[in-house]
Amino acid sequence: MKTVVLARAAWSAVVRTGETLTVTDLHGNQAVDFLVYDAHDTTVRYSAPDTIHAQGNLFLTTGSVLMSNEHTPLMTVVADEVGRHDTVGGACSKESNTLRYGHHTWSQHACVDNFLAEGAKYGLGKRDLVSNINWYMNVPVEKDGTLGIVDGISAPGLTLTLRAECDVLVLVSNCPQINNPCNGFEPTAVEMTIEASGATG
């Protein structure tokens, strides 16, 4: 099942155990904000601290396991053409936009808006939003702990593929941010492809 997620839009799906989800950066340098929950118990959800601790690395790539707040595996990155994805940059919001870029940005659409609207379809609310993954976003962390959002390292057509280790609910915000380089200042569409275990494209 292939779905093109338009620039600035939200998307969600249940991915069954053993199925794969491939994210394709169609035009290059488009950040894809990502949350994942146990489809049968959404109180079990992606945990950035558990994931970072389990793999001993801030960045995600092939072999990285997305761990839950119960330290159980939710999804595994089985292929990655980019090589490094962000776990600490968070999701843009009206509040953070205003703080970082000025009050004139208040009316701009943000990832938190997408997550809340898409999550509401499954009974999720603001208290269910946790620190998210930013696929394709380039957030280098310096030795002194400082970080910044800089030009992406992706390119048109590059993909990453995740395998579901249990039935999971995935929420995506195709990031609408236009005030920093995470989307090259021009958000673009991405593609989501769900395939059965052992399927070939």
Side-chain angles (χ1 to χ4, degrees), residues 15 19-21 23 32-38 44-80 84-88 130-135 160-172:
V15 185
E19 291 182 337
T20 59
L21 169 64
V23 184
V32 179
D33 289 42
F34 184 95
L35 288 170
V36 57
Y37 303 79
D38 184 314
V44 179
R45 68 275 303 261
Y46 170 73
S47 166
D50 284 80
T51 300
I52 292 166
H53 178 262
Q55 65 178 351
N57 197 323
L58 282 174
F59 302 108
L60 303 176
T61 188
T62 305
S64 298
V65 180
L66 311 187
M67 303 295 288
S68 77
N69 53 328
E70 294 192 351
H71 212 71
T72 54
L74 295 169
M75 303 188 87
T76 300
V77 181
V78 294
D80 174 23
R84 190 177 76 192
H85 302 269
D86 170 62
T87 60
V88 296
V130 295
S131 296
N132 60 285
I133 296 165
N134 293 304
W135 301 120
L160 68 97
T161 300
L162 301 125
R163 181 184 65 233
E165 305 300 348
C166 59
D167 292 349
V168 293
L169 168 64
V170 170
L171 300 185
V172 162

